[in-house]
Amino acid sequence: MDARWWAVVVLAVLPSLGAGGETPEAPPESWTQLWFFRFLVNAAGYASFMVPGYLMVQYFRRKNYLETGRGLCFPLVKTCVFGNEPKASDEVPLASRTEPAETTPTWQALKLLFCAAGLQVSYLTWGVLQERVMTRSYGATATSPGERFTDSQFLVLMNRVLALIVAGLYCILCKQPRHGAPMYRYSFASLSNVLSSWCQYEALKFVSFPTQVLAKASKVIPVMLMGKLVSRRSYEHWEYLTAGLISIGVSMFLLSSGPEPRSSPATTLSGLILLAGYIAFDSFTSNWQDALFAYKMSSVQMMFGVNLFSCLFTVGSLLEQGALLEGTRFMGRHSEFAAHALLLSVCSACGQLFIFYTIGQFGAAIFTIIMTLRQAFAILLSCLLYGHTVTVPIFLSYCNL
């Protein structure tokens, strides 16, 4: 391998490149705490479920189990592998989202406004709590600096467990359409969703929250590109124009912003790579969910299926690493963290309800544009609550995109 590629790898995994000459946070105590190593360990844990599951799905398909299978396990295998309403061929690529048939444009506009308001409230609160949990210490006193919570995967699990409970109760109490999608198809969206959430939490260890928010605003184009790849979607000219203007504006914002104060985390190559991973995984997630709506499921059924596999992946990985008990002990030591984690999970569960409903009604690209609009408010809240500095002309230029 060329020496330059080795240099890139080393720089990526060692958080030593501060932006603007700033001194980054102290390096991890050991190489096992490096984000790249933990990412590989987590991925190995998820693979221990995905690979056997994939092999089983292929086995049942080759054996034509839907026609020849019998016994107690037949309903479970049919639901997980073939679905209750199989299509003519399980190999046919998922079709794109069907446009909802509404009566008037006014009703559509009201629904869009409702979705936008729900997403704003849920994720603005979630963003404030996320920064508090990942960048501040708990249990600090006059004589002790306290300790920080570092296990991003444990937070992902807490968010998914509550969302799973909420979706499950809703499906039980309220009538839902007949579920026809093979359950295994949810696992792909679950895996990418867990990885995107992990990258998002980890990135806050290397970049400030305003920097992360601005990077998120540029994911409209990746979402559209992933949409053409995953669900063969086509977009209107105004959607391409909007995505291009947003991305150009965000790039100008990041390039023209001054150095961050010494009190905030340094922007490192590790942080940028994690943000890129978040954007890539999240773009796949929203488009795969968009394509799954071809099975005529409700948004709550989608929420239940995705979070079911997300819980299986994260619980299994945490148990394999022995980290589940440590996260629980941290909650026991710090009741404030427990309260923050619970409220974070509530906001995540409510936000997911709005996410799935918005994607089901309007598609992944519209959802991404709505989420981009909240970035300015998220930056304002972060600056007010946590003391980040953003120059007024640059902020105004972003708001006017």
Side-chain angles (χ1 to χ4, degrees):
M1 181 182 290
D2 193 289
R4 289 175 297 178
W5 290 107
W6 282 111
V8 170
V9 173
V10 172
L11 292 176
V13 299
L14 294 177
S16 58
L17 298 180
E22 300 297 329
T23 303
E25 293 181 313
E29 295 180 356
S30 67
W31 65 274
T32 58
Q33 296 302 312
L34 294 174
W35 72 264
F36 187 70
F37 177 81
R38 286 183 284 110
F39 176 83
L40 293 179
V41 172
N42 292 344
Y46 305 146
S48 66
F49 292 89
M50 285 291 290
V51 173
Y54 174 79
L55 295 177
M56 289 181 64
V57 169
Q58 295 303 313
Y59 170 79
F60 286 121
R61 282 183 170 182
R62 288 197 305 268
K63 293 297 183 180
N64 195 21
Y65 188 82
L66 188 62
E67 302 295 334
T68 62
R70 295 292 183 273
L72 295 176
C73 295
F74 178 77
L76 178 62
V77 173
K78 179 184 176 184
T79 300
C80 293
V81 178
F82 300 98
N84 290 321
E85 296 177 6
K87 298 187 177 183
S89 173
D90 288 312
E91 300 299 327
V92 175
L94 291 176
S96 61
R97 170 184 54 90
T98 56
E99 297 294 334
E102 296 296 340
T103 54
T104 62
T106 303
W107 178 243
Q108 281 289 83
L110 289 175
K111 287 204 302 184
L112 185 61
L113 181 62
F114 171 73
C115 293
L119 289 169
Q120 298 285 339
V121 173
S122 298
Y123 282 102
L124 284 176
T125 307
W126 179 82
V128 170
L129 289 169
Q130 179 195 42
E131 184 173 10
R132 170 63 183 91
V133 170
M134 296 305 298
T135 65
R136 299 296 191 271
S137 299
Y138 288 94
T141 62
T143 57
S144 172
E147 58 179 333
R148 288 190 178 185
F149 186 78
T150 59
D151 194 344
S152 301
Q153 189 174 208
F154 185 82
L155 283 178
V156 174
L157 171 62
M158 289 200 62
N159 293 344
R160 301 304 179 266
V161 167
L162 184 59
L164 177 66
I165 294 173
V166 170
L169 290 176
Y170 191 94
C171 289
I172 293 174
L173 298 176
C174 301
K175 185 178 180 179
Q176 301 294 314
R178 177 178 172 83
H179 185 268
M183 289 297 295
Y184 82 91
R185 290 193 182 273
Y186 292 108
S187 63
F188 301 106
S190 297
L191 180 61
S192 60
N193 179 253
V194 168
L195 291 174
S196 68
S197 298
W198 186 88
C199 289
Q200 186 177 13
Y201 283 120
E202 285 293 308
L204 282 176
K205 299 177 182 179
F206 304 101
V207 300
S208 66
F209 184 76
T211 301
Q212 185 189 80
V213 168
L214 290 172
K216 291 180 186 179
S218 64
K219 73 176 184 179
V220 182
I221 289 181
V223 167
M224 296 175 74
L225 294 176
M226 196 70 73
K228 295 184 73 68
L229 177 65
V230 173
S231 53
R232 309 295 193 270
R233 289 206 63 192
S234 59
Y235 298 94
E236 301 292 337
H237 293 299
W238 70 267
E239 291 179 302
Y240 284 110
L241 178 61
T242 302
L245 290 176
I246 290 174
S247 299
I248 292 173
V250 170
S251 299
M252 294 174 61
F253 193 125
L254 292 175
L255 292 174
S256 58
S257 58
E260 295 175 338
R262 300 187 69 88
S263 60
S264 59
T267 301
T268 67
L269 182 58
S270 293
L272 297 179
I273 293 176
L274 286 166
L275 287 176
Y278 159 75
I279 291 174
F281 289 126
D282 194 64
S283 298
F284 176 85
T285 301
S286 59
N287 278 288
W288 189 265
Q289 291 167 346
D290 189 10
L292 278 177
F293 277 111
Y295 286 96
K296 310 298 183 183
M297 69 185 68
S298 70
S299 58
V300 181
Q301 288 174 326
M302 172 75 76
M303 181 176 174
F304 180 83
V306 171
N307 284 287
L308 174 63
F309 282 96
S310 296
C311 289
L312 292 176
F313 290 147
T314 51
V315 167
S317 180
L318 287 169
L319 288 175
E320 292 173 358
Q321 300 175 42
L324 184 61
L325 184 59
E326 179 55 35
T328 306
R329 288 172 177 169
F330 191 94
M331 292 184 64
R333 292 195 301 268
H334 304 289
S335 58
E336 185 183 10
F337 168 77
H340 288 164
L342 178 60
L343 186 55
L344 194 72
S345 300
V346 171
C347 293
S348 177
C350 293
Q352 284 190 52
L353 288 172
F354 283 104
I355 284 176
F356 294 126
Y357 182 76
T358 303
I359 293 176
Q361 293 294 316
F362 303 102
I366 298 298
F367 159 72
T368 303
I369 293 174
I370 292 175
M371 293 298 285
T372 300
L373 297 178
R374 77 177 176 93
Q375 311 304 342
F377 297 106
I379 293 172
L380 276 177
L381 281 176
S382 181
C383 292
L384 290 174
L385 295 176
Y386 300 114
H388 299 296
T389 58
V390 177
T391 58
V392 174
I394 301 174
F395 179 77
L396 292 178
S397 67
Y398 173 77
C399 294
N400 290 326
L401 286 176

